[in-house]
Amino acid sequence: MSGNIDDYFRIGMKVTRKSVKLFSDFYSSDIIVASPLGLRELIEKERSADYLSSIEILIIDQLDVLAMQNWNHLKLIFEHINKIPKQSHDTDFSRVKPWYLDGHAAYLRQSILLSAYETPEIRSLFNKNLLNVSGKQRIQSAWAAAQVPEGIRQASVHFAQLHY
């Protein structure tokens, strides 16, 4: 196996008109790419998650894989996301949108959850934490059954049900 397979990563990126600065401080970052474990460690180390207060677009990929890891990391992040910050952290208040100060950021955040399959934890996350006022949509792929070509014999074996 090649590449970085570490489940403890976090990187901030600042985007300007002429450049992209990697490894920027989260408080000045426009984009944060991180694993739940990486964010949790930072939240516990700094005892603050004010940088998660202004999340406008949230994308979580491979949610089914995260469900097999420690789901509490993800729950902790959702407890801190879009909350009113405790400190200003050199914020440019001319860029702060009024609905953030009114506590409505969670209702305007666009969230995309991607998973190979659904679990009760994922459904709960969808139902309880995605609060967008425009609504939410759940898309599930349906696959048609494969047709077995003629001449191929199909066999099915019935297993007796065990009762304990």
Side-chain angles (χ1 to χ4, degrees):
M1 185 175 271
S2 64
N4 184 356
I5 58 170
D6 190 8
D7 62 350
Y8 176 86
F9 64 91
R10 56 183 184 242
I11 181 172
M13 294 178 259
K14 175 118 179 110
V15 180
T16 65
R17 293 182 192 265
K18 296 183 179 183
S19 67
V20 175
K21 179 184 174 190
L22 298 177
F23 302 104
S24 64
D25 179 52
F26 277 8
Y27 292 103
S28 62
S29 293
D30 295 305
I31 300 169
I32 296 173
V33 177
S35 69
L37 178 60
L39 284 178
R40 182 186 187 113
E41 290 290 324
L42 190 61
I43 289 168
E44 290 175 349
K45 177 183 171 189
E46 294 185 358
R47 303 237 185 266
S48 172
D50 287 348
Y51 50 86
L52 295 176
S53 65
S54 61
I55 300 294
E56 292 182 27
I57 300 173
L58 172 70
I59 301 172
I60 303 177
D61 192 11
Q62 297 185 1
L63 197 52
D64 52 307
V65 175
L66 297 176
M68 290 185 278
Q69 296 173 357
N70 193 335
W71 190 254
N72 288 328
H73 299 330
L74 204 56
K75 287 171 54 176
L76 178 81
I77 292 165
F78 269 96
E79 289 172 10
H80 288 89
I81 200 166
N82 294 126
K83 301 294 182 204
I84 300 290
K86 294 179 175 90
Q87 298 176 351
S88 66
H89 301 283
D90 298 324
T91 301
D92 178 4
F93 285 99
S94 66
R95 296 182 62 196
V96 176
K97 297 174 176 86
W99 58 82
Y100 281 89
L101 298 175
D102 294 338
H104 297 124
Y107 301 104
L108 299 167
R109 180 186 71 235
Q110 297 176 34
S111 302
I112 300 171
L113 306 179
L114 303 168
S115 178
Y117 54 85
E118 187 174 33
T119 65
E121 293 87 5
I122 294 171
R123 177 60 72 96
S124 174
L125 184 71
F126 179 83
N127 289 333
K128 293 178 183 173
N129 295 101
L130 305 186
L131 307 171
N132 193 291
V133 293
S134 295
K136 50 188 167 183
Q137 185 168 1
R138 187 174 154 270
I139 300 171
Q140 184 173 353
S141 298
W143 306 100
Q147 296 297 320
V148 179
E150 286 186 39
I152 296 180
R153 187 173 152 247
Q154 297 185 53
S156 62
V157 178
H158 179 73
F159 292 94
Q161 185 175 0
L162 299 175
H163 297 282
Y164 292 101

